[in-house]
Amino acid sequence: MKLHEYQSKLIFARYGIPIPRGRVASTAADARQIAEDLGGRVVVKSQVLVGGRGKAGGIRLAKTPKETEEVATQILGMEIKGLPVRKILIDTAANIDKEIYLGITNDRAARRPVIISSSAGGVEIEQVAKTNPEKIIKVYIDPLLGLRDYQARNIAIGIDLSKEYWKVFGDICRGLWRAYIDCDATLAEINPLVILKEKTLLALDGKMVLDDNALFRHSDLAEMRDIDEEDSSETEARKYGLSFIKLEGNIGCMVNGAGLAMTTMDIVKYIGGEPANFLDIGGGAGSDKVAAALRIILSDNHVKVILINIFGGITRCDEVAKGILTALKEVKPTIPMVVRLVGTNAEEGRKLLEDAHLLTAETLVDASRKSVFAAKG
Ligand code: GDP
Ligand code: MN
């Protein structure tokens, strides 16, 4: 789950990280009022859950409350990368001298969190990694020991930070680490962390991604979810308890079990196809879940074929087949479907589907080949 900039910065502030004064608004009139309260120049920032808002024109400076209202009206009417802007953050404008990148994420290969920093902040870190990899400093954090003081100092040295800022930079690193751990985050990022002309540090932008699987123990954070700004298919999937991740390809996959779903995607790719999604319908899924899964897959108009791969363990394949047939009465796909069922009562299940003129397959390779063939038209 992604948090908005204003939400992330409020969390950062609780951990002692300095953030600009400001408030969030959803109307231009409120924006004007906030600008009046803050006094002086402000920056009007669209709150959408995508990066690169600056480049898209979603971040603008305003000198007066009147100008703030005008700029707010424009930004509130915008769409950024397909997402409508419904909220804006009005912050006191900063006099930037230098922009730094500071972020923490999990490095799965290293099996531990990593703190990443760069003197080339402001722009996307992926870009810096491509053009100036030597400007990226990485320090791995032992999850049991936590971030050590000497590590924060090494980062400061690595990004050529002037010595006068080391102490407060260290405090910011430790605050970010605590926020990352306490919230069960998978990303906590300040980009840019700026050095102001007034010679202090300030977190101008903030981004947090929380681990969905840990949200059950953070009801206060779970409430921050902004459904308006999420991909609607993911919201729908969550409603039915389906694990769904949208991808770029054209083969819609419906599988039970996360491991089997990953394997299915691997085989599809191996044979030369591109999966349109990851979808785990879980064990014992009834026809309502199957129907929801079909609807979600079909809502992506890139999908050219649906590949269903079910292993019947406790779930019986004939029950799954009946579920698929019931679901098909409700959702009427016009694209081909390939179904592979194995396990308990697979024979009976396949027979039911064949009688209904559905394409079946006995092995995963066979099913994937048929799907890839169908996707190529
Ligand atoms: P992003 O484009 O979505 O990452 O949004 P950011 O909040 O990082 O803002 C993008 C850029 O806008 C920053 O890197 C700054 O260069 C600039 N910016 C943001 N806030 C201010 C501000 O208060 N004053 C000035 N002068 N520039 C700002
Ligand atoms: Mn940014």
Side-chain angles (χ1 to χ4, degrees), residues 5 9 20 41-43 45-46 48 50-56 59 61 91-96 99 121-124 189 191-192 194 204-206:
E5 172 193 5
K9 288 203 293 202
R41 288 190 324 141
V42 298
V43 56
K45 311 183 78 176
S46 54
V48 279
V50 288
R53 298 165 302 162
K55 261 191 238 154
I59 295 181
L61 291 163
D91 268 355
T92 297
N95 297 310
I96 303 174
E99 304 194 33
V123 289
E124 281 177 36
E189 180 184 86
N191 188 27
V194 296
L204 272 208
D205 189 10

Side-chain angles (χ1 to χ4, degrees), residues 55-70:
K55 261 191 238 154
I59 295 181
R60 304 235 327 251
L61 291 163
K63 289 193 202 72
T64 61
K66 182 166 173 291
E67 195 187 342
T68 304
E69 186 168 355
E70 287 159 15

Side-chain angles (χ1 to χ4, degrees), residues 104-318:
I104 304 178
T105 188
N106 280 329
D107 184 326
R108 288 172 193 277
R111 292 189 286 174
R112 55 187 56 204
V114 59
I115 182 158
I116 301 169
S117 190
S118 173
S119 58
V123 289
E124 281 177 36
I125 196 70
E126 292 83 357
Q127 202 50 45
V128 184
K130 267 191 212 136
T131 53
N132 299 84
E134 77 288 349
K135 285 211 168 135
I136 294 184
I137 306 298
K138 284 187 183 180
V139 170
Y140 292 92
I141 306 174
D142 185 311
L144 297 178
L145 295 177
L147 178 69
R148 314 307 290 166
D149 289 356
Y150 78 89
Q151 293 182 305
R153 216 155 39 237
N154 282 348
I155 297 166
I157 295 167
I159 61 167
D160 272 329
L161 189 67
S162 154
K163 201 165 181 179
E164 57 184 307
Y165 300 115
W166 285 10
K167 161 119 197 359
V168 33
F169 182 76
D171 290 340
I172 292 173
C173 289
R174 281 181 288 277
L176 195 63
W177 167 250
R178 290 275 19 124
Y180 177 84
I181 289 297
D182 287 355
C183 298
D184 285 309
T186 54
L187 176 76
E189 180 184 86
I190 308 174
N191 188 27
L193 169 66
V194 296
I195 305 179
L196 297 177
K197 296 235 167 70
E198 296 85 354
K199 306 245 172 251
T200 52
L201 297 184
L202 193 63
L204 272 208
D205 189 10
K207 181 173 175 186
M208 285 189 96
V209 181
L210 308 179
D211 183 347
D212 281 321
N213 294 314
L215 280 179
F216 73 95
R217 55 184 188 191
H218 300 287
S219 52
D220 52 330
L221 298 175
E223 273 173 23
M224 290 184 173
R225 194 188 285 280
D226 187 349
I227 290 185
D228 290 344
E229 291 288 335
E230 279 189 338
D231 189 285
S232 60
S233 52
E234 295 191 8
T235 311
E236 183 76 1
R238 190 161 356 91
K239 207 165 84 194
Y240 286 92
L242 306 163
S243 305
F244 173 82
I245 294 162
K246 196 175 155 349
L247 301 168
E248 308 293 311
N250 58 10
I251 300 178
C253 301
M254 178 159 107
V255 188
N256 67 337
L260 192 58
M262 296 295 281
T263 311
T264 307
M265 287 165 31
D266 280 351
I267 303 279
V268 163
K269 282 204 82 121
Y270 183 73
I271 293 175
E274 285 294 334
N277 64 279
F278 167 96
L279 197 163
D280 170 14
I281 59 169
S287 60
D288 54 330
K289 255 190 171 183
V290 175
L294 283 176
R295 272 199 309 271
I296 291 164
I297 293 174
L298 289 167
S299 70
D300 175 356
N301 51 23
H302 294 116
V303 173
K304 294 238 157 55
V305 53
I306 299 178
L307 165 57
I308 301 182
N309 184 21
I310 302 288
F311 174 79
I314 296 170
T315 320
R316 286 165 34 207
C317 289
D318 53 329

